[in-house]
């Protein structure tokens, strides 16, 4: 009950604050700046609720250029603020409330304001009754948890909200003409109120005939009456329910087969009538829809995508969607040849030299009778890469999914999906990656790991969204969690077995004119793959990576955590007659190869506020990102330096039709981590050897046995003793990144 009353109080505060939202409190010559705003004497409402009720606002960081906002006193609104506060309290049950103000001059043209509130004695409910619910148990059920009871404050907002909730419940339980009448008497001296709610339900009615009228003036009709009735999930003989009628309209809209849907009673129900006939009036929409677009991105270079949809592919309005996406255009073969138009990071990525694509055919049932367990089947083919990490080729794959598999009715704010994925594909990575991560340093073992394998995985994902604005949230939370399992029991090859869990939480709050965003992400992978003498194999595409615009922005994409290096040269050293290949710290690093990890923790804290210049278009941001990515289980792949790495930064947010364009500059004070160094030798005798050249390695090298053959290096671990020389200087430690939409 307390939660309900607090919720209603917050609604009342927002209602009172609504008229003042558009007030202009900017400062002009001769105005007095409001330095601070205080409330004293308040017990029922917090200062935050009262501040949201009044129009007068204090300045925020007025002395900080580009950050602070000056706000000045509007005398007219200031006088109205007193009435707003008194109205808020009187509706809550404080008839004797008095509000006074104290204005203190700090210095010329700068003031502090204090609202002094004398709440007085509250008025309480001395008698409460709900009449007219005795004749039917369902009427009593609808009147449960009414927010007013004997002994509580006489809150008129709660009384009216309770009446509205009661009427809505009755109209959803079969009483289409239900009403609830309010009556109360007050005793000002005794500070009491007698409250009575009289329920006038009328006759309980059932749904009668449901007629269907389809307007085909804009297109030929393809959806049958039987499909329309099945989609509505509303049948003759059901109790009349406004909610179910609205659900039926939404179901029909979700098929996308109709441009307009109206489901209404034939006429006003006569008193005492127990049958309500309905008519569904539908306007046929387009059966086919096509969308397409082109763009450019930092890591994708040019990219394009398109979708073709058939909204009535099968007799029951199943939808067929054909989707195609292509990226790395201009850089990846066979659509290469435009390197100059691609960003430097993309050009340095070996996996961007192959065209990335994704094509799919999806058959889905847009709606079902209960809207839960809606099936979808997708068949796809793809070649997709992860920056500097791997290239995943999937000639053929399929996904069968069910939405809200464990719910009787779907939750639009807490959707879940259960899916089964089966695909045949292979993951290509740098030889150094397989050598360092899985000790697969010879060609035969690497070829075994990179062959086409069957991957079968079961995945369950859940999200919970409570935001006040989906595009630019300033309050609320987002929670996401995913569980993923692959094993031979469900069809995977022995090498493609793992358990993976990941989740993240985002909080949004408005504090002193700024939007504060806090975000935490965590992930855990357990490798179960076996084969050719190794165990605990995790497919590269299932390992965890971090660094970049959505994780820790001080690091480049995927470069937080352990890494190995490909160097351009090495020296030959002979010690006691034994030859070694070793690179010194001055060797040029050709590529950084992120190895990822099996455990990840990332945290982000960001503040955004309106820019003093073009505030509707631009926002400024300050942030601090922290993260750790590592390997459990005694792996030699460890990221040195601090356990948790923190990178601060500044950014700009630019409003666009596609969402906010985020431009961030993260400062990275850390040295590059030490790691194993490798040299990719040119092919000799049909073999392209990979040599460990880490400083101090003890892997002896045997000269070639014959001309044209490569030298052989002894087997063994390659030590993580190579640390690239990082360029110094403040600006060289800044990592720029660009992202569209919310990063977390």
């Amino acid at each position: 009950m307390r939660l309900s009353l607090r919720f209603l109080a917050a609604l009342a505060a927002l209602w009172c604050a609504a008229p003042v939202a558009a007030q202009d409190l900017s400062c002009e010559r001769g105005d007095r700046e409001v330095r601070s705003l205080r409330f004293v004497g308040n017990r029922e409402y917090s200062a935050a609720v009262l501040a949201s009720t009044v129009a007068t606002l204090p300045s925020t960081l007025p002395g900080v250029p580009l950050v602070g906002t000056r706000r000045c006193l509007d005398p007219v609104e200031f006088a109205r603020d007193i009435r707003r506060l008194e109205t808020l309290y009187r509706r809550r049950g404080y008839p004797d409330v008095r509000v006074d103000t104290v204005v203190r001059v700090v210095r010329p043209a700068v003031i502090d304001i204090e609202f002094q509130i004398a709440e007085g004695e509250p008025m309480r409910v001395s008698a409460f009754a709900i009449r007219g619910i005795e004749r039917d148990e369902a009427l009593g059920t609808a009147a449960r948890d009414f927010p007013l009871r004997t002994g509580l404050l006489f809150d008129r907002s709660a009384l009216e909200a309770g009446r509205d909730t009661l009427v809505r419940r009755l109209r959803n339980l079969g009483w289409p003409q239900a009403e609830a009448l309010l009556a109360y008497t007050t005793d000002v001296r005794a500070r009491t109120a007698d409250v009575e709610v009289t329920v006038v339900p009328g006759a309980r009615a059932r749904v009668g005939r449901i007629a269907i009228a389809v307007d085909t003036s804009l297109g030929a009709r393809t959806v049958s009456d039987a499909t329309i009735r099945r989609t509505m999930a509303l049948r003759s003989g059901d109790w009349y329910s406004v909610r179910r009628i609205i659900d039926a309209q939404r179901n029909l809209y979700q098929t996308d087969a109709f441009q307009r849907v109206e489901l209404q009673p034939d006429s006003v129900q006569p008193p005492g009538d127990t049958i309500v006939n309905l008519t569904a009036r539908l306007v046929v929409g387009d059966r086919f829809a096509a969308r397409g677009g082109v763009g450019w991105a930092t890591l994708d270079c040019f990219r394009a995508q398109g979708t073709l949809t058939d909204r009535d592919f099968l007799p029951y309005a199943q939808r067929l969607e054909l989707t195609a996406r292509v990226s790395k255009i201009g850089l990846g073969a066979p659509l290469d040849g435009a390197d100059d138009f691609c960003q430097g990071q993309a050009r340095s990525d070996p996996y961007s030299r192959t065209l990335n694509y994704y094509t799919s055919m999806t058959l889905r049932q847009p709606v079902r009778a209960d809207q839960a367990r809606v099936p979808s089947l997708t068949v796809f083919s793809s070649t997709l890469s992860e920056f500097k990490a791997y290239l995943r080729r999937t000639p053929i794959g399929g996904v069968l999914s069910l939405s809200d598999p464990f719910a009787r009715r779907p939750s639009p704010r807490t959707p879940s999906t259960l899916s089964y994925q089966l695909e045949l594909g292979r993951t290509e990575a740098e030889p150094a990656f397989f050598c360092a991560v899985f000790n697969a340093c010879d060609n035969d073992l690497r070829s075994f790991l990179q062959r086409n394998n069957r991957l079968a995985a079961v995945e369950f994902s859940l999200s919970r969204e409570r935001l006040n604005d989906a595009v630019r949230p300033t309050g609320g939370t987002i929670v996401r969690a995913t569980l993923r399992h692959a094993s031979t029991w469900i069809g995977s090859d022995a090498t493609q077995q793992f358990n993976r869990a990941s989740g993240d939480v985002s909080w949004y709050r408005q504090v002193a004119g700024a939007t504060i965003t806090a975000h935490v992400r965590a992930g855990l992978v357990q490798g179960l793959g076996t084969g050719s003498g190794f165990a605990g194999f995790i497919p590269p595409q299932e390992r965890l990576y971090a660094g970049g615009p959505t994780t820790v922005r001080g690091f480049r994409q995927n470069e937080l955590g352990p890494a190995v290096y490909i160097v351009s040269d090495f020296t030959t050293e002979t010690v006691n007659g034994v030859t070694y290949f070793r690179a010194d710290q001055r060797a040029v690093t050709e590529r950084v190869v992120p190895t990822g990890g099996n455990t990840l923790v990332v945290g982000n804290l960001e503040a955004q506020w309106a820019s003093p210049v073009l505030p509707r278009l631009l926002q400024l941001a300050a942030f601090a990102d922290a993260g750790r990515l590592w390997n459990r289980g005694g792996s030699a792949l460890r990221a040195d330096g601090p356990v948790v790495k923190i990178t601060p930064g500044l950014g700009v947010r630019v409003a666009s039709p596609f969402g906010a364009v985020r431009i961030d500059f993260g400062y990275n004070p850390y040295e590059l981590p030490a790691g194993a160094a490798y040299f990719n030798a040119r092919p000799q005798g049909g073999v392209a050897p990979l040599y460990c050249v880490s400083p101090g390695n003890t892997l002896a090298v045997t000269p070639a046995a014959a001309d044209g053959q490569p030298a052989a290096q002894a087997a063994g671990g390659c030590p993580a003793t190579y640390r690239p020389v990082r360029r110094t200087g403040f600006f060289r430690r800044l990592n720029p990144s660009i992202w569209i939409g919310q990063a977390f």
Side-chain angles (χ1 to χ4, degrees), residues 53 72 74 92 173 426 545 619 664 720:
T53 304
C72 288
D74 184 333
R92 181 72 172 87
L173 291 172
R426 66 182 186 273
Y545 298 88
Q619 284 194 322
D664 290 321

Side-chain angles (χ1 to χ4, degrees), residues 98-146:
R98 295 293 182 268
V99 178
D100 201 355
T101 59
V102 176
V103 178
R104 298 183 179 90
V105 178
V106 180
R107 58 178 181 272
V110 179
I111 59 175
D112 290 341
I113 294 179
E114 182 178 283
F115 285 96
Q116 297 180 340
I117 301 172
E119 294 181 343
E121 291 298 321
M123 180 175 288
R124 297 189 177 276
V125 177
S126 58
F128 176 81
I130 301 180
R131 312 293 184 189
I133 61 174
E134 302 82 6
R135 65 178 187 178
D136 195 305
E137 183 179 351
L139 295 174
T141 301
R144 70 184 185 278
D145 59 36
F146 197 91

Side-chain angles (χ1 to χ4, degrees), residues 602-618:
V602 169
N604 310 91
L605 184 63
E606 178 175 296
Q608 295 183 32
W609 59 92
S611 167
V613 180
L614 301 175
R616 294 183 179 273
L617 178 65
L618 301 178

